[in-house]
Amino acid sequence: MTAAPLPPAGSAEELLARLALCRTEGVGPVGFRRLLAREGSASAAIRALARGPSVGVRVQAPPDMSAAERELRAIERLGGVLLTLGDAAYPALLAQLQDAPPVLSVLGDQALLAAPQIAIVGARAASAAGRRIAEDLAEDLAEAGLAVTSGLARGIDAAAHLGALRVGRTLAVVPGGLDQPYPRENAALQARIAERGAVVAEAPLGAAPLDRHFPRRNRVVAGLTLGVVVIEAALRSGTLITAREAADLGRDVFAVPGHPLDPRSAGGNALIKDGAPLVERAADILDALPGLAGTAPAALPQPPPRPSATGGGADQLLELIGQTPATVDDLVERCHLPFSEIQALLADLELEGRVALLPGQRVVRTTSE
Amino acid sequence: MTAAPLPPAGSAEELLARLALCRTEGVGPVGFRRLLAREGSASAAIRALARGPSVGVRVQAPPDMSAAERELRAIERLGGVLLTLGDAAYPALLAQLQDAPPVLSVLGDQALLAAPQIAIVGARAASAAGRRIAEDLAEDLAEAGLAVTSGLARGIDAAAHLGALRVGRTLAVVPGGLDQPYPRENAALQARIAERGAVVAEAPLGAAPLDRHFPRRNRVVAGLTLGVVVIEAALRSGTLITAREAADLGRDVFAVPGHPLDPRSAGGNALIKDGAPLVERAADILDALPGLAGTAPAALPQPPPRPSATGGGADQLLELIGQTPATVDDLVERCHLPFSEIQALLADLELEGRVALLPGQRVVRTTSE
């Protein structure tokens, strides 16, 4: 069942009221939608709540307009934007969910939110082969004009972002606030996505990711996309829950198969048994996505030109990175550059395929240049 | 299209005539069937051919009755039997083929030919994981009452035979004559199958396996079975040809999936894309085999009790096999037993899981007993 559309915020005051309302304890996404449908606007809903419960929503403390204003200013200082449900820029597929996030904060290329998106999700403890296929699939799907959406987790998620980032068409949905990259090791990756893709958060700025944020993150990933591709997932895994939610939302579910003796194959193989198309390469998805028919890549947002990590910093860094792995800490010690710049440069160099990042914050040269 | 049934040989003379006729240059399986349908018996067909071509079959030299008699006696000396198309003991599914082998020579448990059979086929250069799943699947299918049929090739075939042999329900279809194990490294395995399963050959006794025998061997495997399970097969492989032939014959085709980056997965994954059920375990096959409904394992031939490889020879051999691989040649040198006995003992010990056979004719102890 598709939820009825809401009106756009329309004014700066109503935008703030919506932000304040949805950040209020006791107002969930479904309550928010009901309040707006009943009262016509967040401002009116706030006035109504001051008089008592409305449409079953009861609040302990009134919405905090000044906290909302502080959050909005902070998002803007980061270079981000706030989208509310009902805005033209709010992603249309996600808006259909009864429990669509009332607001999204976004860093980076907003236009990607309107692009047809495909999710690639899978195991955090992914195999090297699994990460490799995630990266290749993501790059090929992005080349074909789809934005690749994932959750910035370790393993498959990160590999999918990396692959699509080569084309500049990836969205990371993060569990906490925009300024709370999770896991920390993917902070540099998030920074790169903010530059050449988009980072999306439902949680308030400053919110550290909590257990309850992860199912919501997964639901937003499913809600944003035309379909979900599962690569390596155990039978009882968050990945499979995301896939099931996507199917419930009417999205296509695709699965990459694996050898039955590898427990990471069980989820994908089970989905294929249940009828999910078996995916070996991007064409298997592109051919099957009915929602994509008639979408010409030319009609899609064009990615920004790809920057090159050549320059003093990158060269200095590359000289320190050899064929045997060095830790990032080593590099920080030996390289007279700030930590954040080193992380950004390493992400650039990885994107260009000149270094590989290894577990344990280690890095190694991939070319003999 | 199912071929019309032929009458049984009925007499020793007609049996010999059929053997002589089908061993005659110019008489293929289809010609053999046409000749018998036209002339009523092989004896009558031989008389007809002496007068000139019949139903399009022309022979250079007349059928050689004394050669046929020599072959039959030699098969009997090996402890084998000769079945001709039309005999009650000739496997019924295979008999439906227009080009069914006119005769089969069989070593071992003839009753297995009447059991419901499933083929497990795949790559010669199989992965360890692929061989493992072939072995486990075969054992479980045999436990469930199916005979497991394969081609005695290296890799998947051999692993499937090994697994099913633990239960005593496996058929090896060999490309050459019964007395020409191929490949040589599987000679001991063939000897064990002849003892506790059945070995089936279309080619004459003494015939070394030639290129043309392999497609026939594959066709007999497909023809004998209710379905074919593919484990690890490249896109252009004999395995996939066998699977396609099985599908053309109306048999079920099953496939074990694999990771897309492994070229050995391409065949199985392609079959799944084309609609073959994805197989992770025996239940996936048993549930899907319509031909199996109502087949109670109790109604199937019971396997002979399993012999144990304990005794002087086995103990002597085990003492020579350590945790680091030894070559079979080493063992022959250090162990005062004939080569053939060592091979048989090694096959027994492998069956019992006490040693593992490695590539390059090497063997290693698997237990710390």
Side-chain angles (χ1 to χ4, degrees), chain B residues 21-360:
Chain B
L21 182 63
C22 81
R23 297 296 188 229
T24 303
E25 180 115 20
V27 181
V30 176
F32 177 92
R33 200 185 258 282
R34 279 208 310 263
L35 281 170
L36 257 73
R38 159 74 170 265
E39 308 291 346
S41 70
S43 310
I46 290 173
R47 287 192 298 274
L49 285 174
R51 295 189 298 269
S54 173
V55 290
V57 178
R58 170 198 304 272
V59 295
Q60 300 293 324
D64 185 340
M65 295 296 287
S66 61
E69 190 156 359
R70 283 196 303 276
E71 185 183 353
L72 183 58
R73 297 298 155 248
I75 291 170
E76 287 169 353
R77 270 199 306 277
L78 280 180
V81 294
L82 187 81
L83 301 179
T84 84
L85 190 58
D87 289 350
Y90 190 100
L93 278 177
L94 185 63
Q96 294 174 357
L97 274 58
Q98 296 287 353
D99 62 344
V103 305
L104 291 176
S105 34
V106 181
L107 273 180
D109 184 4
Q110 256 195 79
L112 281 175
L113 286 167
Q117 295 170 44
I118 184 99
I120 296 182
V121 295
R124 288 188 301 272
S127 72
R131 292 196 306 271
R132 169 81 185 282
I133 199 165
E135 207 172 316
D136 292 351
L137 256 188
E139 181 173 6
D140 292 346
L141 290 168
E143 286 282 5
L146 289 166
V148 175
T149 302
S150 194
L152 200 76
R154 284 188 191 93
I156 296 300
D157 285 22
H161 288 306
L162 265 180
L165 206 44
R166 291 196 201 108
V167 185
R169 244 187 229 116
T170 193
L171 289 102
V173 183
V174 295
L178 275 187
D179 55 347
Q180 303 283 318
Y182 182 88
R184 288 298 306 174
E185 70 195 63
N186 287 344
L189 177 59
Q190 174 171 331
R192 301 294 298 138
I193 296 173
E195 272 178 44
R196 290 182 29 86
V199 182
V200 180
E202 179 179 12
L205 208 68
L210 303 175
D211 282 355
R212 65 182 164 89
H213 290 126
F214 291 87
R216 286 295 298 174
R217 188 266 315 268
N218 297 345
R219 188 156 172 84
V220 172
V221 168
L224 281 169
T225 54
L226 295 169
V228 171
V229 185
V230 170
I231 305 178
E232 296 194 346
L235 268 190
R236 263 166 273 278
S237 60
T239 301
L240 272 210
I241 295 171
T242 305
R244 215 166 300 131
E245 283 203 282
D248 289 344
L249 294 173
R251 313 298 199 247
D252 286 298
V253 174
F254 302 90
V256 172
H259 199 283
L261 292 185
D262 184 342
R264 287 172 295 210
S265 304
N269 289 349
L271 290 171
I272 294 168
K273 280 185 186 173
D274 286 347
L278 182 154
V279 169
E280 294 177 297
R281 56 191 71 85
D284 297 324
I285 296 161
L286 297 169
D287 292 350
L289 264 189
L292 204 61
T295 308
L300 298 172
Q302 290 306 303
R306 177 172 155 181
S308 171
T310 43
D315 288 347
Q316 192 191 337
L317 202 58
L318 258 182
E319 263 177 38
L320 295 173
I321 302 170
Q323 308 282 344
T324 49
T327 68
V328 175
D329 285 347
D330 276 350
L331 296 175
V332 171
E333 258 179 43
R334 297 165 58 195
C335 187
H336 302 288
L337 291 170
F339 181 70
S340 62
E341 190 170 337
I342 290 178
Q343 282 213 309
L345 285 169
L346 286 177
D348 283 338
L349 291 168
E350 188 188 23
L351 261 178
E352 294 177 7
R354 295 162 81 185
V355 306
L357 303 183
L358 305 176

